Amino acid sequence: MDGHTTSRMIPASSLFWIVAVVTATSASPMQFNCSTARQKVCEITNIIITEYTDVSEWEFPDHPDIAFGSHPLPDDSTIITMITKDVSEKLTNTQNIEMQNVSLMSFFLWEHLISLDVSYNYLSELIVDPSAMYNLKSLNMKHNRLQSIDFLKGLYKLRDLDLSNNYLETIDFSILDPAKDLATLKLFNNRIRTITTSFGDMLHLPRLTVLMLNHNQLSILDASRWQFNVLQDLFLSNNRLSYISMCEIQNSFPRLQTLYLDGNHWECSNLNSTVSQLHELNVKLVNHGSHNCTEAIENICCM
């Protein structure tokens, strides 16, 4: 996993200095202005927020789209380790937030946010209120430190979810069942060994079109209780699969168009039968790249 090569940790030697400066100036009103570097987005740089920061006298621009930091450009002036409820109350009219590569470790989610990009940080979860009615539709948490997705339980309006490049090992897809508008789900480059469905009934994601599970550690894919009626693209390459059930493919993904199977542990006779049946269903097999192997079926290595 490519991890967090672009992220920055706060040097321990400078943390006290940062806290001291913020504390000393917190009594004075502080007004932040938008940079002119980006069109349509209010970019805010030269800001430091830690758990010790008093934001009671701070004022942020009244803008629907705010980006903290100048990602992907290097920006040592912007370090935000924590977004608390107090900070969120200063951003009541902001609907879209970008906060990439700012050393973020904790984020309090507020109800009116529609889009949140907190990629390239150190988050293990979002802080959510189970009783809140969230409007979040797009969530990008790639390149963080997620080990669980329990915090997604209350995010019913999600359409696009990117949890790639994290530390996930086991996932219960039932958590996603209320998110009936979910269209894209990216889980590639994790450590996923097991995907379960804990509810007794079928799991319906009626608008899911893209499911990316590539570059994990799946040896079994149990889709028997999934009903993804409009799924078009399924990414399963670079796992440990040796078999997939064609009955499940046909029943769970009736409109599947593209399937990625390369980089697994296929047994050649099983793979040959699977490929033939996929052709009958008009499912296109696509490879991510070339692989060196002694035996292959349609450029998919087998043994």
Side-chain angles (χ1 to χ4, degrees), residues 109 116 124-130 132 134 136-141 146-163 168 171-180 182 184-187:
L109 187 65
L116 177 62
S124 59
E125 65 175 352
L126 298 180
I127 300 174
V128 297
D129 180 355
Y134 292 106
L136 195 66
K137 296 179 180 179
S138 176
L139 176 59
N140 186 347
M141 295 186 73
L146 300 177
Q147 298 184 45
S148 168
I149 61 172
D150 288 349
F151 60 90
L152 296 174
K153 289 179 181 177
L155 306 183
Y156 303 147
K157 296 185 179 181
L158 279 175
R159 295 180 181 176
D160 300 293
L161 178 59
D162 190 344
L163 304 177
L168 298 169
I171 291 180
D172 184 351
F173 263 13
S174 300
I175 290 174
L176 299 172
D177 185 66
K180 299 303 184 185
L182 190 64
T184 61
L185 176 56
K186 298 178 181 180
L187 290 164

Side-chain angles (χ1 to χ4, degrees), residues 33-294:
N33 297 313
C34 301
S35 166
T36 59
R38 297 173 62 179
Q39 295 181 351
K40 298 182 179 180
V41 176
C42 175
E43 185 176 278
I44 298 175
T45 58
N46 194 26
I47 178 173
I48 295 174
I49 301 177
T50 72
E51 61 181 311
Y52 304 101
T53 306
D54 180 5
V55 299
S56 59
E57 299 296 327
W58 288 20
E59 295 182 9
F60 293 103
D62 185 6
H63 198 285
D65 306 300
I66 292 182
F68 290 89
S70 56
H71 184 84
L73 301 175
D75 178 21
D76 293 331
S77 74
T78 304
I79 298 173
I80 303 174
T81 63
M82 180 176 293
I83 294 295
T84 63
K85 184 177 181 180
D86 290 340
V87 176
S88 72
E89 290 173 349
K90 301 287 182 178
L91 298 165
T92 54
N93 292 325
T94 303
Q95 297 180 330
N96 306 297
I97 289 282
E98 294 179 29
M99 199 170 290
Q100 305 171 358
N101 198 27
V102 294
S103 300
L104 189 65
M105 293 184 284
S106 178
F107 189 99
F108 178 86
L109 187 65
W110 56 96
E111 290 180 302
H112 58 272
L113 267 183
I114 295 176
S115 174
L116 177 62
D117 185 343
V118 285
S119 53
Y120 297 94
N121 284 297
Y122 303 114
L123 288 160
S124 59
E125 65 175 352
L126 298 180
I127 300 174
V128 297
D129 180 355
S131 64
M133 298 295 292
Y134 292 106
N135 292 305
L136 195 66
K137 296 179 180 179
S138 176
L139 176 59
N140 186 347
M141 295 186 73
K142 67 182 179 183
H143 289 274
N144 275 283
R145 295 183 174 180
L146 300 177
Q147 298 184 45
S148 168
I149 61 172
D150 288 349
F151 60 90
L152 296 174
K153 289 179 181 177
L155 306 183
Y156 303 147
K157 296 185 179 181
L158 279 175
R159 295 180 181 176
D160 300 293
L161 178 59
D162 190 344
L163 304 177
S164 61
N165 292 282
N166 277 281
Y167 301 154
L168 298 169
E169 295 184 4
T170 300
I171 291 180
D172 184 351
F173 263 13
S174 300
I175 290 174
L176 299 172
D177 185 66
K180 299 303 184 185
D181 290 332
L182 190 64
T184 61
L185 176 56
K186 298 178 181 180
L187 290 164
F188 60 89
N189 278 341
N190 275 278
R191 305 170 179 177
I192 301 172
R193 293 185 175 89
T194 306
I195 300 176
T196 61
T197 309
S198 62
F199 293 165
D201 296 330
M202 295 289 289
L203 169 64
H204 293 273
L205 293 176
R207 297 189 179 182
L208 189 67
T209 59
V210 177
L211 176 58
M212 304 183 72
L213 295 169
N214 45 306
H215 290 275
N216 279 290
Q217 299 176 24
L218 289 168
S219 58
I220 297 174
L221 182 71
D222 182 3
S224 60
R225 292 159 67 185
W226 298 357
Q227 197 66 58
F228 304 164
N229 288 334
V230 299
L231 189 74
Q232 297 179 8
D233 302 308
L234 177 59
F235 294 73
L236 296 176
S237 56
N238 296 100
N239 276 281
R240 299 176 179 177
L241 297 169
S242 59
Y243 168 81
I244 57 173
S245 167
M246 289 306 302
C247 180
E248 291 179 10
I249 292 290
Q250 191 168 5
N251 293 332
S252 299
F253 320 123
R255 297 187 184 179
L256 189 65
Q257 296 181 7
T258 305
L259 180 60
Y260 294 76
L261 292 178
D262 55 310
N264 279 284
H265 297 173
W266 302 118
E267 197 276 327
C268 288
S269 60
N270 285 340
L271 179 60
N272 187 51
S273 175
T274 297
V275 168
S276 297
Q277 293 178 72
L278 288 170
H279 286 324
E280 292 177 6
L281 296 173
N282 293 318
V283 176
K284 181 180 180 181
L285 288 172
V286 180
N287 295 334
H288 272 120
S290 60
H291 300 275
N292 295 322
C293 53
T294 56

